PDB file of all heavy atoms in Angstrom:
ATOM      1  N   GLU A   3       0.816  -1.211   0.003  1.00 97.00           N
ATOM      2  CA  GLU A   3       0.001  -0.005   0.005  1.00 97.00           C
ATOM      3  C   GLU A   3       0.849   1.270  -0.001  1.00 97.00           C
ATOM      4  O   GLU A   3       0.550   2.232  -0.704  1.00 97.00           O
ATOM      5  CB  GLU A   3      -0.947  -0.003   1.207  1.00 97.00           C
ATOM      6  CG  GLU A   3      -1.982  -1.113   1.194  1.00 97.00           C
ATOM      7  CD  GLU A   3      -2.945  -1.023   0.028  1.00 97.00           C
ATOM      8  OE1 GLU A   3      -3.208   0.102  -0.440  1.00 97.00           O
ATOM      9  OE2 GLU A   3      -3.442  -2.073  -0.425  1.00 97.00           O
ATOM     10  N   VAL A   4       1.923   1.287   0.791  1.00 97.00           N
ATOM     11  CA  VAL A   4       2.793   2.468   0.832  1.00 97.00           C
ATOM     12  C   VAL A   4       3.613   2.557  -0.456  1.00 97.00           C
ATOM     13  O   VAL A   4       3.865   3.665  -0.962  1.00 97.00           O
ATOM     14  CB  VAL A   4       3.700   2.445   2.073  1.00 97.00           C
ATOM     15  CG1 VAL A   4       4.681   3.614   2.050  1.00 97.00           C
ATOM     16  CG2 VAL A   4       2.865   2.493   3.357  1.00 97.00           C
ATOM     17  N   PHE A   5       4.017   1.415  -0.998  1.00 96.00           N
ATOM     18  CA  PHE A   5       4.833   1.393  -2.217  1.00 96.00           C
ATOM     19  C   PHE A   5       4.102   2.104  -3.365  1.00 96.00           C
ATOM     20  O   PHE A   5       4.736   2.749  -4.208  1.00 96.00           O
ATOM     21  CB  PHE A   5       5.154  -0.049  -2.618  1.00 96.00           C
ATOM     22  CG  PHE A   5       6.094  -0.154  -3.775  1.00 96.00           C
ATOM     23  CD1 PHE A   5       7.458  -0.026  -3.600  1.00 96.00           C
ATOM     24  CD2 PHE A   5       5.612  -0.369  -5.064  1.00 96.00           C
ATOM     25  CE1 PHE A   5       8.345  -0.111  -4.692  1.00 96.00           C
ATOM     26  CE2 PHE A   5       6.463  -0.451  -6.150  1.00 96.00           C
ATOM     27  CZ  PHE A   5       7.828  -0.338  -5.959  1.00 96.00           C
ATOM     28  N   GLU A   6       2.773   1.984  -3.393  1.00 96.00           N
ATOM     29  CA  GLU A   6       1.987   2.592  -4.471  1.00 96.00           C
ATOM     30  C   GLU A   6       2.062   4.115  -4.473  1.00 96.00           C
ATOM     31  O   GLU A   6       1.799   4.759  -5.499  1.00 96.00           O
ATOM     32  CB  GLU A   6       0.529   2.142  -4.371  1.00 96.00           C
ATOM     33  CG  GLU A   6       0.331   0.675  -4.726  1.00 96.00           C
ATOM     34  CD  GLU A   6      -1.123   0.222  -4.524  1.00 96.00           C
ATOM     35  OE1 GLU A   6      -1.962   1.065  -4.086  1.00 96.00           O
ATOM     36  OE2 GLU A   6      -1.414  -0.945  -4.819  1.00 96.00           O
ATOM     37  N   ILE A   7       2.400   4.719  -3.309  1.00 96.00           N
ATOM     38  CA  ILE A   7       2.528   6.189  -3.262  1.00 96.00           C
ATOM     39  C   ILE A   7       3.921   6.590  -2.769  1.00 96.00           C
ATOM     40  O   ILE A   7       4.110   7.624  -2.140  1.00 96.00           O
ATOM     41  CB  ILE A   7       1.449   6.800  -2.340  1.00 96.00           C
ATOM     42  CG1 ILE A   7       1.476   6.195  -0.940  1.00 96.00           C
ATOM     43  CG2 ILE A   7       0.063   6.625  -2.954  1.00 96.00           C
ATOM     44  CD1 ILE A   7       0.567   6.899   0.055  1.00 96.00           C
ATOM     45  N   LYS A   8       4.905   5.740  -3.090  1.00 94.00           N
ATOM     46  CA  LYS A   8       6.265   5.957  -2.589  1.00 94.00           C
ATOM     47  C   LYS A   8       6.900   7.230  -3.137  1.00 94.00           C
ATOM     48  O   LYS A   8       7.910   7.700  -2.586  1.00 94.00           O
ATOM     49  CB  LYS A   8       7.152   4.745  -2.909  1.00 94.00           C
ATOM     50  CG  LYS A   8       7.505   4.566  -4.363  1.00 94.00           C
ATOM     51  CD  LYS A   8       8.377   3.338  -4.546  1.00 94.00           C
ATOM     52  CE  LYS A   8       8.961   3.194  -5.933  1.00 94.00           C
ATOM     53  NZ  LYS A   8       8.119   3.521  -7.049  1.00 94.00           N
ATOM     54  N   ASP A   9       6.338   7.805  -4.211  1.00 95.00           N
ATOM     55  CA  ASP A   9       6.901   9.035  -4.769  1.00 95.00           C
ATOM     56  C   ASP A   9       6.818  10.201  -3.785  1.00 95.00           C
ATOM     57  O   ASP A   9       7.575  11.165  -3.902  1.00 95.00           O
ATOM     58  CB  ASP A   9       6.164   9.411  -6.055  1.00 95.00           C
ATOM     59  CG  ASP A   9       6.447   8.451  -7.207  1.00 95.00           C
ATOM     60  OD1 ASP A   9       7.417   7.675  -7.056  1.00 95.00           O
ATOM     61  OD2 ASP A   9       5.717   8.447  -8.201  1.00 95.00           O
ATOM     62  N   ILE A  10       5.912  10.113  -2.819  1.00 95.00           N
ATOM     63  CA  ILE A  10       5.799  11.144  -1.784  1.00 95.00           C
ATOM     64  C   ILE A  10       6.978  11.065  -0.826  1.00 95.00           C
ATOM     65  O   ILE A  10       7.354  12.067  -0.197  1.00 95.00           O
ATOM     66  CB  ILE A  10       4.483  10.972  -0.979  1.00 95.00           C
ATOM     67  CG1 ILE A  10       3.275  11.116  -1.918  1.00 95.00           C
ATOM     68  CG2 ILE A  10       4.376  11.978   0.164  1.00 95.00           C
ATOM     69  CD1 ILE A  10       1.952  10.846  -1.213  1.00 95.00           C
ATOM     70  N   LEU A  11       7.582   9.882  -0.727  1.00 97.00           N
ATOM     71  CA  LEU A  11       8.602   9.609   0.285  1.00 97.00           C
ATOM     72  C   LEU A  11      10.017   9.879  -0.222  1.00 97.00           C
ATOM     73  O   LEU A  11      10.292   9.869  -1.416  1.00 97.00           O
ATOM     74  CB  LEU A  11       8.490   8.157   0.761  1.00 97.00           C
ATOM     75  CG  LEU A  11       7.108   7.710   1.227  1.00 97.00           C
ATOM     76  CD1 LEU A  11       7.104   6.213   1.496  1.00 97.00           C
ATOM     77  CD2 LEU A  11       6.678   8.499   2.469  1.00 97.00           C
ATOM     78  N   GLU A  12      10.912  10.074   0.740  1.00 96.00           N
ATOM     79  CA  GLU A  12      12.342  10.206   0.438  1.00 96.00           C
ATOM     80  C   GLU A  12      12.998   8.827   0.342  1.00 96.00           C
ATOM     81  O   GLU A  12      13.884   8.610  -0.475  1.00 96.00           O
ATOM     82  CB  GLU A  12      13.037  11.039   1.533  1.00 96.00           C
ATOM     83  CG  GLU A  12      12.515  12.463   1.657  1.00 96.00           C
ATOM     84  CD  GLU A  12      12.776  13.275   0.429  1.00 96.00           C
ATOM     85  OE1 GLU A  12      13.957  13.374   0.005  1.00 96.00           O
ATOM     86  OE2 GLU A  12      11.805  13.814  -0.130  1.00 96.00           O
ATOM     87  N   SER A  13      12.576   7.899   1.203  1.00 96.00           N
ATOM     88  CA  SER A  13      13.073   6.532   1.155  1.00 96.00           C
ATOM     89  C   SER A  13      12.012   5.612   1.762  1.00 96.00           C
ATOM     90  O   SER A  13      11.155   6.065   2.544  1.00 96.00           O
ATOM     91  CB  SER A  13      14.391   6.398   1.921  1.00 96.00           C
ATOM     92  OG  SER A  13      14.216   6.699   3.290  1.00 96.00           O
ATOM     93  N   PHE A  14      12.089   4.331   1.400  1.00 96.00           N
ATOM     94  CA  PHE A  14      11.067   3.401   1.857  1.00 96.00           C
ATOM     95  C   PHE A  14      11.535   1.967   1.699  1.00 96.00           C
ATOM     96  O   PHE A  14      12.240   1.631   0.744  1.00 96.00           O
ATOM     97  CB  PHE A  14       9.774   3.610   1.058  1.00 96.00           C
ATOM     98  CG  PHE A  14       8.721   2.560   1.304  1.00 96.00           C
ATOM     99  CD1 PHE A  14       8.094   2.469   2.544  1.00 96.00           C
ATOM    100  CD2 PHE A  14       8.384   1.654   0.330  1.00 96.00           C
ATOM    101  CE1 PHE A  14       7.144   1.493   2.781  1.00 96.00           C
ATOM    102  CE2 PHE A  14       7.416   0.683   0.552  1.00 96.00           C
ATOM    103  CZ  PHE A  14       6.804   0.606   1.787  1.00 96.00           C
ATOM    104  N   GLY A  15      11.153   1.101   2.641  1.00 96.00           N
ATOM    105  CA  GLY A  15      11.432  -0.311   2.535  1.00 96.00           C
ATOM    106  C   GLY A  15      10.588  -1.072   3.549  1.00 96.00           C
ATOM    107  O   GLY A  15      10.005  -0.463   4.452  1.00 96.00           O
ATOM    108  N   GLY A  16      10.523  -2.387   3.394  1.00 95.00           N
ATOM    109  CA  GLY A  16       9.762  -3.146   4.379  1.00 95.00           C
ATOM    110  C   GLY A  16       9.239  -4.464   3.862  1.00 95.00           C
ATOM    111  O   GLY A  16       9.748  -5.022   2.890  1.00 95.00           O
ATOM    112  N   HIS A  17       8.170  -4.956   4.470  1.00 94.00           N
ATOM    113  CA  HIS A  17       7.506  -6.197   4.089  1.00 94.00           C
ATOM    114  C   HIS A  17       6.032  -6.069   4.465  1.00 94.00           C
ATOM    115  O   HIS A  17       5.615  -5.022   5.004  1.00 94.00           O
ATOM    116  CB  HIS A  17       8.183  -7.404   4.744  1.00 94.00           C
ATOM    117  CG  HIS A  17       8.286  -7.334   6.234  1.00 94.00           C
ATOM    118  ND1 HIS A  17       7.209  -7.600   7.063  1.00 94.00           N
ATOM    119  CD2 HIS A  17       9.315  -7.031   7.042  1.00 94.00           C
ATOM    120  CE1 HIS A  17       7.587  -7.498   8.327  1.00 94.00           C
ATOM    121  NE2 HIS A  17       8.850  -7.138   8.350  1.00 94.00           N
ATOM    122  N   PRO A  18       5.185  -7.074   4.190  1.00 94.00           N
ATOM    123  CA  PRO A  18       3.738  -6.905   4.396  1.00 94.00           C
ATOM    124  C   PRO A  18       3.298  -6.458   5.800  1.00 94.00           C
ATOM    125  O   PRO A  18       2.286  -5.774   5.930  1.00 94.00           O
ATOM    126  CB  PRO A  18       3.179  -8.299   4.086  1.00 94.00           C
ATOM    127  CG  PRO A  18       4.127  -8.850   3.089  1.00 94.00           C
ATOM    128  CD  PRO A  18       5.470  -8.351   3.503  1.00 94.00           C
ATOM    129  N   MET A  19       4.086  -6.775   6.836  1.00 94.00           N
ATOM    130  CA  MET A  19       3.678  -6.456   8.203  1.00 94.00           C
ATOM    131  C   MET A  19       4.406  -5.289   8.836  1.00 94.00           C
ATOM    132  O   MET A  19       4.077  -4.851   9.922  1.00 94.00           O
ATOM    133  CB  MET A  19       3.826  -7.687   9.098  1.00 94.00           C
ATOM    134  CG  MET A  19       2.945  -8.856   8.707  1.00 94.00           C
ATOM    135  SD  MET A  19       1.187  -8.475   8.812  1.00 94.00           S
ATOM    136  CE  MET A  19       0.975  -8.411  10.586  1.00 94.00           C
ATOM    137  N   ALA A  20       5.419  -4.749   8.156  1.00 96.00           N
ATOM    138  CA  ALA A  20       6.197  -3.655   8.746  1.00 96.00           C
ATOM    139  C   ALA A  20       6.913  -2.859   7.656  1.00 96.00           C
ATOM    140  O   ALA A  20       7.196  -3.391   6.586  1.00 96.00           O
ATOM    141  CB  ALA A  20       7.205  -4.182   9.766  1.00 96.00           C
ATOM    142  N   CYS A  21       7.222  -1.602   7.961  1.00 96.00           N
ATOM    143  CA  CYS A  21       7.955  -0.790   6.994  1.00 96.00           C
ATOM    144  C   CYS A  21       8.775   0.274   7.721  1.00 96.00           C
ATOM    145  O   CYS A  21       8.540   0.572   8.885  1.00 96.00           O
ATOM    146  CB  CYS A  21       7.005  -0.134   6.007  1.00 96.00           C
ATOM    147  SG  CYS A  21       5.974   1.191   6.719  1.00 96.00           S
ATOM    148  N   GLY A  22       9.733   0.804   7.001  1.00 96.00           N
ATOM    149  CA  GLY A  22      10.509   1.953   7.477  1.00 96.00           C
ATOM    150  C   GLY A  22      10.510   2.993   6.379  1.00 96.00           C
ATOM    151  O   GLY A  22      10.502   2.635   5.185  1.00 96.00           O
ATOM    152  N   LEU A  23      10.499   4.270   6.738  1.00 97.00           N
ATOM    153  CA  LEU A  23      10.402   5.311   5.713  1.00 97.00           C
ATOM    154  C   LEU A  23      10.980   6.629   6.197  1.00 97.00           C
ATOM    155  O   LEU A  23      11.196   6.839   7.396  1.00 97.00           O
ATOM    156  CB  LEU A  23       8.945   5.504   5.276  1.00 97.00           C
ATOM    157  CG  LEU A  23       7.906   5.841   6.367  1.00 97.00           C
ATOM    158  CD1 LEU A  23       7.896   7.349   6.685  1.00 97.00           C
ATOM    159  CD2 LEU A  23       6.528   5.408   5.944  1.00 97.00           C
ATOM    160  N   SER A  24      11.241   7.512   5.233  1.00 97.00           N
ATOM    161  CA  SER A  24      11.563   8.891   5.547  1.00 97.00           C
ATOM    162  C   SER A  24      10.746   9.779   4.601  1.00 97.00           C
ATOM    163  O   SER A  24      10.456   9.393   3.467  1.00 97.00           O
ATOM    164  CB  SER A  24      13.059   9.160   5.382  1.00 97.00           C
ATOM    165  OG  SER A  24      13.490   8.948   4.060  1.00 97.00           O
ATOM    166  N   ILE A  25      10.378  10.961   5.095  1.00 97.00           N
ATOM    167  CA  ILE A  25       9.481  11.838   4.358  1.00 97.00           C
ATOM    168  C   ILE A  25       9.744  13.290   4.757  1.00 97.00           C
ATOM    169  O   ILE A  25      10.102  13.563   5.895  1.00 97.00           O
ATOM    170  CB  ILE A  25       8.008  11.454   4.639  1.00 97.00           C
ATOM    171  CG1 ILE A  25       7.027  12.290   3.816  1.00 97.00           C
ATOM    172  CG2 ILE A  25       7.675  11.567   6.121  1.00 97.00           C
ATOM    173  CD1 ILE A  25       5.581  11.807   3.905  1.00 97.00           C
ATOM    174  N   ARG A  26       9.536  14.197   3.827  1.00 97.00           N
ATOM    175  CA  ARG A  26       9.638  15.623   4.165  1.00 97.00           C
ATOM    176  C   ARG A  26       8.458  15.989   5.062  1.00 97.00           C
ATOM    177  O   ARG A  26       7.323  15.547   4.844  1.00 97.00           O
ATOM    178  CB  ARG A  26       9.643  16.478   2.915  1.00 97.00           C
ATOM    179  CG  ARG A  26      10.862  16.262   2.010  1.00 97.00           C
ATOM    180  CD  ARG A  26      10.995  17.402   1.007  1.00 97.00           C
ATOM    181  NE  ARG A  26      11.196  18.681   1.677  1.00 97.00           N
ATOM    182  CZ  ARG A  26      12.377  19.121   2.120  1.00 97.00           C
ATOM    183  NH1 ARG A  26      13.456  18.380   1.975  1.00 97.00           N
ATOM    184  NH2 ARG A  26      12.453  20.296   2.720  1.00 97.00           N
ATOM    185  N   SER A  27       8.705  16.797   6.060  1.00 95.00           N
ATOM    186  CA  SER A  27       7.663  17.151   7.050  1.00 95.00           C
ATOM    187  C   SER A  27       6.465  17.831   6.406  1.00 95.00           C
ATOM    188  O   SER A  27       5.343  17.680   6.879  1.00 95.00           O
ATOM    189  CB  SER A  27       8.261  18.043   8.145  1.00 95.00           C
ATOM    190  OG  SER A  27       8.854  19.209   7.595  1.00 95.00           O
ATOM    191  N   ASP A  28       6.690  18.552   5.301  1.00 95.00           N
ATOM    192  CA  ASP A  28       5.569  19.262   4.669  1.00 95.00           C
ATOM    193  C   ASP A  28       4.713  18.345   3.801  1.00 95.00           C
ATOM    194  O   ASP A  28       3.719  18.785   3.200  1.00 95.00           O
ATOM    195  CB  ASP A  28       6.066  20.446   3.845  1.00 95.00           C
ATOM    196  CG  ASP A  28       7.085  20.069   2.765  1.00 95.00           C
ATOM    197  OD1 ASP A  28       7.372  18.853   2.620  1.00 95.00           O
ATOM    198  OD2 ASP A  28       7.581  20.965   2.067  1.00 95.00           O
ATOM    199  N   LYS A  29       5.083  17.070   3.710  1.00 97.00           N
ATOM    200  CA  LYS A  29       4.311  16.129   2.907  1.00 97.00           C
ATOM    201  C   LYS A  29       3.552  15.096   3.749  1.00 97.00           C
ATOM    202  O   LYS A  29       2.893  14.211   3.196  1.00 97.00           O
ATOM    203  CB  LYS A  29       5.233  15.390   1.928  1.00 97.00           C
ATOM    204  CG  LYS A  29       5.826  16.296   0.850  1.00 97.00           C
ATOM    205  CD  LYS A  29       6.624  15.501  -0.157  1.00 97.00           C
ATOM    206  CE  LYS A  29       7.154  16.402  -1.263  1.00 97.00           C
ATOM    207  NZ  LYS A  29       7.938  15.638  -2.275  1.00 97.00           N
ATOM    208  N   VAL A  30       3.634  15.221   5.069  1.00 96.00           N
ATOM    209  CA  VAL A  30       3.013  14.224   5.954  1.00 96.00           C
ATOM    210  C   VAL A  30       1.485  14.198   5.784  1.00 96.00           C
ATOM    211  O   VAL A  30       0.866  13.144   5.693  1.00 96.00           O
ATOM    212  CB  VAL A  30       3.385  14.487   7.419  1.00 96.00           C
ATOM    213  CG1 VAL A  30       2.568  13.589   8.349  1.00 96.00           C
ATOM    214  CG2 VAL A  30       4.857  14.245   7.640  1.00 96.00           C
ATOM    215  N   GLU A  31       0.857  15.384   5.734  1.00 96.00           N
ATOM    216  CA  GLU A  31      -0.603  15.436   5.614  1.00 96.00           C
ATOM    217  C   GLU A  31      -1.066  14.823   4.299  1.00 96.00           C
ATOM    218  O   GLU A  31      -2.089  14.116   4.243  1.00 96.00           O
ATOM    219  CB  GLU A  31      -1.107  16.873   5.742  1.00 96.00           C
ATOM    220  CG  GLU A  31      -1.073  17.426   7.155  1.00 96.00           C
ATOM    221  CD  GLU A  31      -1.847  16.562   8.144  1.00 96.00           C
ATOM    222  OE1 GLU A  31      -2.940  16.054   7.793  1.00 96.00           O
ATOM    223  OE2 GLU A  31      -1.342  16.367   9.267  1.00 96.00           O
ATOM    224  N   ASP A  32      -0.346  15.106   3.212  1.00 97.00           N
ATOM    225  CA  ASP A  32      -0.676  14.539   1.910  1.00 97.00           C
ATOM    226  C   ASP A  32      -0.528  13.004   1.956  1.00 97.00           C
ATOM    227  O   ASP A  32      -1.404  12.273   1.421  1.00 97.00           O
ATOM    228  CB  ASP A  32       0.261  15.130   0.844  1.00 97.00           C
ATOM    229  CG  ASP A  32      -0.101  14.700  -0.561  1.00 97.00           C
ATOM    230  OD1 ASP A  32      -1.304  14.468  -0.811  1.00 97.00           O
ATOM    231  OD2 ASP A  32       0.792  14.608  -1.411  1.00 97.00           O
ATOM    232  N   PHE A  33       0.503  12.543   2.597  1.00 97.00           N
ATOM    233  CA  PHE A  33       0.754  11.114   2.752  1.00 97.00           C
ATOM    234  C   PHE A  33      -0.377  10.461   3.551  1.00 97.00           C
ATOM    235  O   PHE A  33      -0.916   9.425   3.138  1.00 97.00           O
ATOM    236  CB  PHE A  33       2.103  10.909   3.473  1.00 97.00           C
ATOM    237  CG  PHE A  33       2.444   9.479   3.770  1.00 97.00           C
ATOM    238  CD1 PHE A  33       2.573   8.543   2.756  1.00 97.00           C
ATOM    239  CD2 PHE A  33       2.651   9.057   5.080  1.00 97.00           C
ATOM    240  CE1 PHE A  33       2.904   7.218   3.023  1.00 97.00           C
ATOM    241  CE2 PHE A  33       2.978   7.740   5.371  1.00 97.00           C
ATOM    242  CZ  PHE A  33       3.112   6.817   4.345  1.00 97.00           C
ATOM    243  N   ARG A  34      -0.769  11.086   4.655  1.00 97.00           N
ATOM    244  CA  ARG A  34      -1.855  10.544   5.490  1.00 97.00           C
ATOM    245  C   ARG A  34      -3.157  10.453   4.700  1.00 97.00           C
ATOM    246  O   ARG A  34      -3.859   9.437   4.747  1.00 97.00           O
ATOM    247  CB  ARG A  34      -2.052  11.426   6.727  1.00 97.00           C
ATOM    248  CG  ARG A  34      -3.197  10.961   7.633  1.00 97.00           C
ATOM    249  CD  ARG A  34      -3.425  11.882   8.803  1.00 97.00           C
ATOM    250  NE  ARG A  34      -2.326  11.803   9.773  1.00 97.00           N
ATOM    251  CZ  ARG A  34      -1.419  12.747   9.946  1.00 97.00           C
ATOM    252  NH1 ARG A  34      -1.482  13.864   9.259  1.00 97.00           N
ATOM    253  NH2 ARG A  34      -0.463  12.583  10.840  1.00 97.00           N
ATOM    254  N   GLN A  35      -3.468  11.517   3.965  1.00 97.00           N
ATOM    255  CA  GLN A  35      -4.740  11.564   3.225  1.00 97.00           C
ATOM    256  C   GLN A  35      -4.752  10.524   2.111  1.00 97.00           C
ATOM    257  O   GLN A  35      -5.737   9.798   1.933  1.00 97.00           O
ATOM    258  CB  GLN A  35      -4.974  12.958   2.651  1.00 97.00           C
ATOM    259  CG  GLN A  35      -6.318  13.087   1.964  1.00 97.00           C
ATOM    260  CD  GLN A  35      -6.653  14.522   1.570  1.00 97.00           C
ATOM    261  OE1 GLN A  35      -6.112  15.467   2.145  1.00 97.00           O
ATOM    262  NE2 GLN A  35      -7.531  14.697   0.608  1.00 97.00           N
TER     263      GLN A  35
END
C-alpha cells in the first residue's frame, strides 16, 4: 500500500507487516490523506 505512493517519500522499505520510511515534514498530511 505504501509502495503505491512511494513518490511522496524520500526513502522506503519493508515487508507486508512492517515498513521503514523517511518523508519531508511538509508532505506528511498529503501522505496521510
